[in-house]
Amino acid sequence: MVYKVVDFFCGAGGFSEGFHQAGFEIIKAFDIWDPAIKTHNKNHPSAVPIATKADVQEISLLKDEEFEEVVPDSEVIIGSPPCVAFSNSNKSGKADKTLGITLLKSYLRIVARKMFKKDSILKYWILENVTNIEKYIQEEYTMEELGLSGNDILTVKNEYAGVYKMQYYSVPSTRKRYICGEFPAPVPVVTDDRLVTLQNVINSLGSPHSRENQMINDINFNTEMPGNLVTDHHYIKEIAEFEWKKAERQKQDKGYMGRMSFPENMEKPARTIMATMSGSSRESFILPIENNRYRYPTIREVATVMSFPIDYRFYGESDSVKYKLVGNAVPPKFSYALAKAINDEIPLNNNLNFKKKTFKEDEFVNLNGKKYAIKIEKKKNKKAKFKYHIPYMKINTYRTELLNSFNGEQVEWTVEIHKSQGKNAEVFRELPLKMSFLSDKELTIINNFSDVMSKRIVSFENLQESYRKTSTEKLEKRLIGPDELLSEVKRLIISKFEHYKGDVNIDSIQKEVPYKIVISYYILETIIKKID
């Protein structure tokens, strides 16, 4: 017997793929995004397209007869409702959850309708999502809570519900996901000393272009494929210097956040693949080329990190669409582990051998051979915001920040001392400081430095204008923008005030603040007052 599977919010088909590789039959899938539907159908071909464009909320509310026509009976239902609203990366986890909860309940409503109907064959169902969603899911739901009639109760958090770490299921990623529903526990297949690393992925695929005429190994499914047939890998998209430098700063000196590797740490499983490509953010996935040059990962690299088979194709018109298809997916190797647990519990005796893909000639956009121009830095808009601390100077969670704001068209620059983060965060501004611990010579140094800087900056407006200009233009004209100002203050601190260790008491806020933080605040405040 082969168990049938219906996949809701199917995306590119990662959840389906794991069950397919485990011998289950995917009979229906639903999503709202055209590239996802196309990708799912092309990788899981059948006489009648498996994936259909549909709104899951609308499906959940259909009348019984139409509902049964749209959603076929199956032994297994899987689903991964859109996770953007629940992700900690979206407004630090404070994004509006209304739509996310609506879609979550829609999925649970469908499960309940299939589970509690007469002669139901549904035996297992699984919900996958970001870890933060756990706080928004109840232990169980009454039919009334799901907008249904009857006295049944849907148990959502069984004994195996919880957060699972993908790397222990042979996924080359530290991605973590929350799983709940009705399912047997998936069995981890690797331990900490046997994890699949990013270096393993790079070694298996080879660098872009290097193995076009050789066989390429699929590290996830232990197979191989001629290099010229491996799609979306033989190209290089280089990251512009102004972008990767910004990413480096965000990763290694992001205010209250910890340091991240730059470029990526090859000796561990890869970080979570995001849905958005970026070369200039803390979340950017950056690989080295050579000679202080860096690139985006290829689509095949991120797909392999997510444990997709090497022959899986992503049907998007651009690399950014393909990247989103990969980043939003459920890793197939983890899905396979879930399916195998079901298979072993029955047991179904499914065919667990690797199942290759076959594709007809079609309109697939293969990125191989594509030439990407390096992005050119553009001037920032007139009201570009700035908020950053003195580079690489965080002491006991304290940092000195320079920031701008706008009163109509008028720009204003201010200085603040920040402490800690989250609920413990504190901000101090307009501090009446007594700098009696400084010598007359040191006060003269600060005064002379502030004179020089203020004459070069001239005004708030000029500081904003310098900020708007490109890195090249600022360098050629020796302009002082906010980044350059902070760097100059850092150099002054290192050269003249490095001997100040420990803290000084600030009476006005009743805090012990590191000397260097207080000195840097005083220097910036002095400059700001001179250009105001």
Side-chain angles (χ1 to χ4, degrees):
M1 178 183 180
V2 175
Y3 269 14
K4 299 181 288 296
V5 180
V6 177
D7 187 351
F8 290 89
F9 310 102
C10 66
F15 217 159
S16 288
E17 181 63 16
F19 275 83
H20 167 69
Q21 291 292 343
F24 289 68
E25 181 185 359
I26 315 302
I27 61 171
K28 196 68 180 176
F30 300 93
D31 204 276
I32 200 70
W33 190 32
D34 289 329
I37 295 164
K38 189 172 184 178
T39 297
H40 192 291
N41 284 332
K42 292 292 186 179
N43 286 279
H44 304 100
S46 64
V48 177
I50 293 172
T52 302
K53 185 174 183 178
D55 185 317
V56 173
Q57 182 186 6
E58 292 179 0
I59 291 174
S60 75
L61 297 171
L62 291 173
K63 293 182 178 179
D64 287 348
E65 186 175 347
E66 188 176 359
F67 176 78
E68 293 299 330
E69 289 178 359
V70 172
V71 184
D73 287 341
S74 63
E75 288 83 7
V76 182
I77 290 178
I78 56 178
S80 184
C83 62
V84 175
F86 302 105
S87 175
N88 282 323
S89 65
N90 187 0
K91 299 182 180 179
S92 299
K94 298 178 182 178
D96 184 8
K97 308 293 190 299
T98 305
L99 178 58
I101 291 173
T102 296
L103 294 175
L104 168 65
K105 280 194 170 183
S106 297
Y107 176 66
L108 297 178
R109 186 181 301 120
I110 290 170
V111 170
R113 292 182 72 173
K114 281 295 181 181
M115 177 174 287
F116 299 124
K117 77 172 204 170
K118 185 179 180 181
D119 299 324
S120 171
I121 66 170
L122 181 63
K123 291 179 169 55
Y124 301 97
W125 68 274
I126 307 170
L127 183 149
E128 183 270 0
N129 217 281
V130 295
T131 59
N132 198 43
I133 200 174
E134 182 175 7
K135 297 183 292 187
Y136 302 92
I137 297 180
Q138 300 171 195
E139 295 281 341
E140 57 186 28
Y141 290 80
T142 65
M143 294 303 96
E144 182 180 3
E145 287 174 318
L146 295 176
L148 300 172
S149 60
N151 298 318
D152 295 298
I153 295 177
L154 180 67
T155 300
V156 174
K157 296 182 178 179
N158 76 350
E159 59 182 312
Y160 302 122
V163 174
Y164 288 79
K165 297 179 180 181
M166 302 296 99
Q167 64 262 39
Y168 297 119
Y169 300 89
S170 203
V171 178
S173 170
T174 57
R175 194 180 188 94
K176 292 190 292 186
R177 283 298 183 266
Y178 177 74
I179 305 292
C180 64
E182 184 59 47
F183 60 93
V187 179
V189 294
V190 293
T191 53
D192 283 322
D193 59 335
R194 301 289 298 275
L195 300 179
V196 185
T197 68
L198 179 55
Q199 188 67 63
N200 294 147
V201 170
I202 300 300
N203 289 345
S204 69
L205 293 173
S207 58
H209 295 300
S210 67
R211 295 185 187 168
E212 287 178 283
N213 299 314
Q214 301 175 28
M215 297 299 288
I216 291 181
N217 179 54
D218 183 346
I219 198 171
N220 291 308
F221 290 92
N222 195 29
T223 185
E224 60 181 11
M225 187 174 181
N228 64 322
L229 298 183
V230 174
T231 61
D232 296 336
H233 183 56
H234 303 300
Y235 69 96
I236 291 176
K237 186 174 183 180
E238 187 168 349
I239 301 173
E241 184 176 6
F242 77 91
E243 289 190 289
W244 65 253
K245 281 189 172 180
K246 182 178 179 181
E248 181 180 27
R249 175 94 182 270
Q250 294 281 325
K251 288 173 181 291
Q252 303 207 330
D253 189 34
K254 176 63 174 176
Y256 52 82
M257 294 182 177
R259 289 170 66 91
M260 294 173 65
S261 295
F262 179 89
E264 300 304 313
N265 185 342
M266 296 290 186
E267 303 309 314
K268 295 181 178 180
R271 292 183 298 107
T272 296
I273 301 299
M274 309 299 286
T276 304
M277 287 188 76
S278 168
S280 60
S281 70
R282 184 173 168 85
E283 291 75 26
S284 297
F285 197 103
I286 296 176
L287 296 174
I289 301 177
E290 57 184 13
N291 300 326
N292 213 30
R293 293 165 55 206
Y294 301 92
R295 66 176 177 89
Y296 292 94
T298 67
I299 296 303
R300 184 54 52 198
E301 286 169 333
V302 291
T304 302
V305 161
M306 284 288 282
S307 78
F308 277 94
I310 197 172
D311 57 358
Y312 207 94
R313 291 187 176 185
F314 300 90
Y315 283 76
E317 296 296 317
S318 66
D319 61 329
S320 60
V321 172
K322 289 171 181 273
Y323 201 95
K324 183 176 180 180
L325 285 165
V326 175
N328 279 337
V330 175
K333 289 297 288 288
F334 180 59
S335 173
Y336 177 87
L338 290 165
K340 189 174 184 303
I342 293 173
N343 183 75
D344 292 345
E345 183 174 79
I346 303 301
L348 295 172
N349 298 316
N350 279 334
N351 175 10
L352 302 181
N353 295 326
F354 175 64
K355 298 164 184 62
K356 293 184 177 181
K357 304 292 181 188
T358 56
F359 299 93
K360 297 179 180 179
E361 291 297 324
D362 55 20
E363 65 279 21
F364 175 70
V365 176
N366 190 349
L367 301 181
N368 286 351
K370 185 173 177 61
K371 305 294 184 184
Y372 285 94
I374 298 178
K375 190 173 181 179
I376 298 174
E377 187 177 10
K378 296 180 181 179
K379 187 176 181 179
K380 298 178 182 66
N381 65 57
K382 189 175 181 180
K383 291 188 176 182
K385 300 301 286 290
F386 182 89
K387 187 180 187 298
Y388 223 93
H389 60 277
I390 292 176
Y392 301 97
M393 199 171 85
K394 294 181 290 183
I395 307 173
N396 298 332
T397 76
Y398 280 96
R399 56 206 182 275
T400 305
E401 292 197 357
L402 176 65
L403 63 155
N404 65 0
S405 60
F406 291 87
N407 184 4
E409 297 298 314
Q410 195 74 28
V411 64
E412 297 177 357
W413 290 87
T414 51
V415 186
E416 299 174 342
I417 290 178
H418 286 245
K419 182 182 186 297
S420 195
Q421 62 172 318
K423 295 179 180 179
N424 299 320
E426 295 180 87
V427 180
F428 310 107
R429 57 178 72 88
E430 297 181 359
L431 297 176
L433 296 177
K434 297 177 181 179
M435 306 299 287
S436 55
F437 59 85
L438 292 176
S439 68
D440 289 342
K441 182 180 178 181
E442 289 169 334
L443 288 169
T444 300
I445 289 171
I446 291 174
N447 191 56
N448 290 341
F449 175 82
S450 63
D451 281 342
V452 172
M453 287 295 107
S454 61
K455 286 175 182 177
R456 291 184 66 183
I457 295 170
V458 180
S459 67
F460 283 174
E461 290 73 21
N462 277 7
L463 186 59
Q464 180 70 15
E465 274 303 304
S466 294
Y467 173 49
R468 294 180 61 200
K469 296 187 186 300
T470 66
S471 303
T472 301
E473 193 172 3
K474 283 189 284 188
L475 189 62
E476 289 175 348
K477 297 181 179 180
R478 298 183 66 247
L479 299 173
I480 295 291
D483 284 309
E484 292 73 23
L485 176 57
L486 292 177
S487 294
E488 290 295 333
V489 173
K490 175 67 178 296
R491 276 191 280 272
L492 181 65
I493 294 291
I494 291 174
S495 64
K496 302 298 182 182
F497 301 94
E498 186 63 22
H499 58 284
Y500 278 95
K501 311 293 183 182
D503 303 329
V504 59
N505 182 62
I506 306 300
D507 291 336
S508 59
I509 59 174
Q510 296 185 336
K511 297 283 185 182
E512 295 285 327
V513 182
Y515 275 107
K516 291 188 183 70
I517 298 298
V518 175
I519 295 170
S520 61
Y521 174 87
Y522 178 73
I523 294 169
L524 282 170
E525 271 281 271
T526 303
I527 295 169
I528 291 301
K529 288 176 180 177
K530 288 183 178 182
I531 65 174
D532 185 358

